[in-house]
Amino acid sequence: MSELALLLIRLAFLAVLWFFVIAAVGVIRTDLFGPRTAPSANPRKLPTKPAKNIPAKPKRGEPRQMVVTGGPLQGTIINLTEQPITIGRATDSTLVLSDDYASSRHAQLFPQDGQWIVEDLGSTNGTYLDRSKVTRPTPVPLGTPVRIGKTVIELRK
Amino acid sequence: MTTAPVAEAPAVPMTAKRRGAQLVMLAFAIVVVMGAYASVGLGINGQIPSGTFTYGLGLAALMFAAYGVLAKWAPWADPLLLPLVTLVNGLGLVIIYRIEQTGQGGASATNQLMWTALGVVMFSATLIVLKDHRALQRLTYTMGFIGLGLLVMPLLPFVGREINGARIWIGVGPFTIQPAEFSKLALVIFFAGYLVAKRDVLALAGRRLLFIDLPRARDLGPVLATWGLSLGVLILQKDLGSSLLVFGTFIVMLYVATQRTSWVLIGVLLFIGGAVLAGQLFGHVQARFEVWLHPEAPEFYDRELGGSFQLMQGLFAFGSGGILGTGLGEGFPNLIPLSFSDFIMAVVGEELGLTGLMALLMVYALIVQRGLRTALAARDPFSKLLAGGLSFILAWQVFIIVGGVTRLIPLTGLVTPFMSAGGSALLANWILIALLVRMSDAARRPPPQAIQNEGLTQVFTR
């Protein structure tokens, strides 16, 4: 067996060993983020999903009501439809607040893929989901308080 | 809480069984191992050895049997654990076969293959018998006693054996068993069960002093007890490795359970105190430190017992291996004493070079990663702690022995998991992997689907 052949075998074996490691990492990658085809398949799936959801009643586990649990409007209940809900001091808001700490267009809630998303509309004092400030559209879990000025709302079934 | 719905959305691909990926990776691992056998033969005498097929196919049969058990009794288990362990175990067999070819006494690939077979039997038995790992939580204190018992067993007269200056073996007929390897499993189970029960008091009670939350004095009990235990092992059995392994694992599990940095600080301080004290008082510990600091000094190099000859030979092997290694079958592993057990990593470093050694360490890292991922995905605190503790003890053991062989830390006698010749360690580590597989099966199994019609009772299957 010539020196060159042994050298090539040696390098080939090391390459195969590393290829094994990389293949294992590839399996982990798919495990974490799904198969590589997933992103291209998603846009096709997305339009079908709401189409399925709109005519049907809200599924189990999806919120049906928005309840004001704190502040001057405590006890107000708004039934959730497919329409977004705007919250603020402006008179055309769905929930009109008379709160010095709220902005005129403070926040909005809108449904997406069976979840309700809260988005801060550039308010002065901010919107808080549980205890964290909402900086970008964030899904609202059932029963989690959303605080806008003195008003606290939450989603219920 | 706010991110819960977001976190659950990408969990969909996790529920896939990934049987195909598992089989492909398993076959790949076996091909790598057979390639390594062939390469050893080509390096030694230019021929593909007959062992390529007997050992290779033997290993393949064993691993596919293990796969069958896994597919039947833990179908949702992690797809990578078995292939990764197969590769490490197979490469260990190849290296031992290679050392056997040099005629060094004590290395026997046939024995190691037999132990691997027994390891796979233990793996299968654990998976078949242990349907639900939470049953172990009920055995918390039993496991504690078993672990302690196994740890002190070598000290007993008649059964205990002293080999190479360390009293860590027991003799059963013609075999010697290293009970510490099994005791580490029992102790991790004990720690997990104990910490689940006590973590609230350990995490919350105490007062704040200069940025650190200090625990109450009476909560120090378990830490001090474990510290005493590991010091006892160190002093009475002269087993530096197991002592470091048990204590380090306990501290990390305590930290995982309580998220309290002060426990780590207390642990590290206690350990440094213990190590310095032991170094002052006991000759064999002091010798390890001297050898670590000055392995090149002639008086240590030539010393008969506990000298630096072995360590230096290992370092020379790493040096002659360089980046790409000498090639399998072309190094001189017979120059390193005990190259088939503690110093197997030096042989890998010589013949596969830094590149091969790094690949192997990556495989260990991936095994640990799969274990920690299982801990993250697990649903109850006991499983989280157990999976985390078992993965950590594996990583910690690899670190202690590789660090010792490469002179990063003082050398302590521990086996390299799945690679070193030795039955006890192989069996214990296969059981460890079986536990991880069992837990990953439970963690990845999709939760029972809620029945849409209201009013019906929801059925849970275990």
Side-chain angles (χ1 to χ4, degrees):
Chain A
M1 184 102 337
S2 70
E3 282 289 306
L4 182 67
L6 280 176
L7 177 73
L8 289 180
I9 289 173
R10 195 168 96 199
L11 295 181
F13 182 73
L14 289 176
V16 169
L17 203 57
W18 271 102
F19 188 66
F20 179 85
V21 171
I22 291 165
V25 172
V27 174
I28 292 177
R29 201 206 72 85
T30 12
D31 215 37
L32 288 177
F33 302 113
R36 207 176 282 271
T37 51
S40 64
N42 265 349
R44 263 178 286 142
K45 270 187 193 164
L46 277 178
T48 61
K49 253 190 179 172
K52 240 193 297 173
N53 285 348
I54 286 170
K57 278 193 292 182
K59 273 199 271 174
R60 261 170 62 88
E62 283 180 14
R64 292 186 187 147
Q65 292 179 329
M66 189 190 84
V67 181
V68 180
T69 54
L73 292 174
Q74 185 167 11
T76 311
I77 294 174
I78 294 178
N79 286 326
L80 298 176
T81 56
E82 291 299 313
Q83 298 300 316
I85 291 173
T86 52
I87 301 166
R89 289 201 292 179
T91 46
D92 59 344
S93 304
T94 321
L95 184 67
V96 183
L97 305 175
S98 55
D99 183 344
D100 289 341
Y101 295 98
S103 303
S104 54
R105 296 191 192 284
H106 197 108
Q108 70 162 340
L109 281 154
F110 58 95
Q112 193 181 66
D113 294 340
Q115 284 182 330
W116 282 81
I117 315 280
V118 63
E119 184 180 12
D120 188 76
L121 299 172
S123 66
T124 314
N125 291 320
T127 306
Y128 291 84
L129 182 62
D130 213 351
R131 286 190 202 146
S132 52
K133 190 165 184 177
V134 175
T135 50
R136 59 202 161 96
T138 313
V140 186
L142 275 174
T144 306
V146 177
R147 196 162 61 77
I148 294 162
K150 289 180 196 162
T151 308
V152 183
I153 58 169
E154 63 180 64
L155 300 181
R156 296 222 177 122
K157 275 201 279 191
Chain B
M1 273 317 282
T2 53
T3 54
V6 187
E8 264 167 37
V12 178
M14 249 199 72
T15 56
K17 288 184 186 175
R18 311 296 312 277
R19 288 259 180 83
Q22 186 168 18
L23 271 177
V24 168
M25 289 304 288
L26 200 56
F28 194 175
I30 288 174
V31 167
V32 172
V33 171
M34 286 175 79
Y37 268 119
S39 174
V40 167
L42 291 173
I44 293 176
N45 54 15
Q47 289 170 349
I48 293 182
S50 54
T52 304
F53 291 99
T54 51
Y55 288 121
L57 294 181
L59 186 74
L62 281 175
M63 293 313 156
F64 281 101
Y67 170 76
V69 170
L70 188 144
K72 174 85 172 65
W73 276 279
W76 294 96
D78 193 282
L80 274 177
L81 277 172
L82 189 64
L84 291 171
V85 171
T86 303
L87 183 84
V88 183
N89 196 333
L91 280 184
L93 270 169
V94 172
I95 302 288
I96 289 169
Y97 171 79
R98 191 267 166 281
I99 298 166
E100 194 183 7
Q101 297 300 304
T102 65
Q104 192 177 33
S108 163
T110 320
N111 269 350
Q112 184 76 353
L113 187 64
M114 196 193 76
W115 283 115
T116 307
L118 265 177
V120 170
V121 169
M122 293 303 272
F123 171 84
S124 314
T126 311
L127 277 187
I128 293 170
V129 172
L130 194 68
K131 289 279 192 316
D132 186 358
H133 58 276
R134 281 168 297 184
L136 293 174
Q137 194 173 5
R138 292 198 289 273
L139 298 176
T140 298
Y141 288 92
T142 320
M143 283 295 174
F145 279 114
I146 292 177
L148 261 179
L150 286 172
L151 210 52
V152 297
M153 214 183 230
L155 293 175
L156 301 178
F158 306 118
V159 286
R161 301 274 165 84
E162 184 163 336
I163 303 177
N164 296 333
R167 200 176 169 92
I168 52 175
W169 280 270
I170 56 169
V172 180
F175 299 105
T176 53
I177 296 176
Q178 222 174 327
E181 287 291 329
F182 296 98
S183 104
K184 79 179 185 195
L185 289 180
L187 286 176
V188 170
I189 295 171
F190 167 65
F191 292 157
Y194 173 81
L195 289 173
V196 166
K198 294 285 155 69
R199 66 176 176 158
D200 283 346
V201 71
L202 294 177
L204 298 175
R207 64 180 117 74
R208 200 170 173 79
L209 187 77
L210 291 177
F211 313 111
I212 319 168
D213 283 315
L214 283 180
R216 292 181 302 183
R218 59 180 158 177
D219 292 333
L220 283 172
V223 185
L224 288 176
T226 324
W227 182 66
L229 172 77
S230 64
L231 270 191
V233 169
L234 175 67
I235 294 162
L236 298 172
Q237 307 186 345
K238 305 180 183 171
D239 186 2
L240 214 57
S242 298
S243 142
L244 190 56
L245 194 65
V246 168
F247 189 62
T249 307
F250 179 68
I251 292 301
V252 165
M253 287 178 73
L254 195 55
Y255 175 65
V256 171
T258 62
Q259 301 183 357
R260 214 169 176 171
T261 331
S262 58
W263 286 122
V264 178
L265 276 176
I266 291 169
V268 169
L269 288 179
L270 278 176
F271 180 76
I272 292 176
V276 169
L277 202 70
Q280 299 286 322
L281 291 178
F282 303 100
H284 64 277
V285 183
Q286 199 180 4
R288 293 286 170 104
F289 275 106
E290 289 168 356
V291 161
W292 171 53
L293 291 172
H294 309 285
E296 71 290 341
E299 70 262 34
F300 299 140
Y301 188 77
D302 295 329
R303 191 155 64 188
E304 192 67 39
L305 198 67
S308 65
F309 175 73
Q310 187 187 26
L311 183 60
M312 282 310 280
Q313 290 295 322
L315 291 176
F316 290 144
F318 281 119
S320 77
I323 299 286
L324 291 175
T326 57
L328 280 169
E330 290 171 76
F332 301 93
N334 48 325
L335 296 181
I336 314 167
L338 291 180
S339 57
F340 52 87
S341 75
D342 289 5
F343 270 70
I344 199 156
M345 275 301 180
V347 182
V348 175
E350 180 177 21
E351 304 213 328
L352 293 177
L354 184 67
T355 319
L357 195 65
M358 285 299 152
L360 204 56
L361 290 179
M362 276 301 287
V363 174
Y364 276 118
L366 288 176
I367 297 175
V368 173
Q369 191 269 348
R370 295 326 285 165
L372 292 177
R373 172 105 188 112
T374 301
L376 283 178
R379 298 192 182 108
D380 58 312
F382 176 72
S383 316
K384 276 184 191 295
L385 270 176
L386 186 56
L390 289 177
S391 335
F392 176 77
I393 206 168
L394 193 69
W396 187 223
Q397 187 163 358
V398 172
F399 171 78
I400 293 174
I401 184 63
V402 176
V405 170
T406 52
R407 205 168 77 87
L408 181 70
I409 57 174
L411 180 65
T412 60
L414 270 186
V415 296
T416 317
F418 295 110
M419 289 195 79
S420 297
S424 321
L426 211 49
L427 294 190
N429 285 320
W430 271 105
I431 297 175
L432 187 154
I433 292 298
L435 290 176
L436 282 182
V437 163
R438 171 51 72 217
M439 281 184 282
S440 74
D441 175 57
R444 293 164 57 95
R445 189 186 292 270
Q449 290 294 310
I451 297 168
Q452 292 296 313
N453 286 336
E454 282 182 49
L456 281 178
T457 315
Q458 195 172 343
V459 181
F460 283 92
T461 48
R462 271 193 178 177

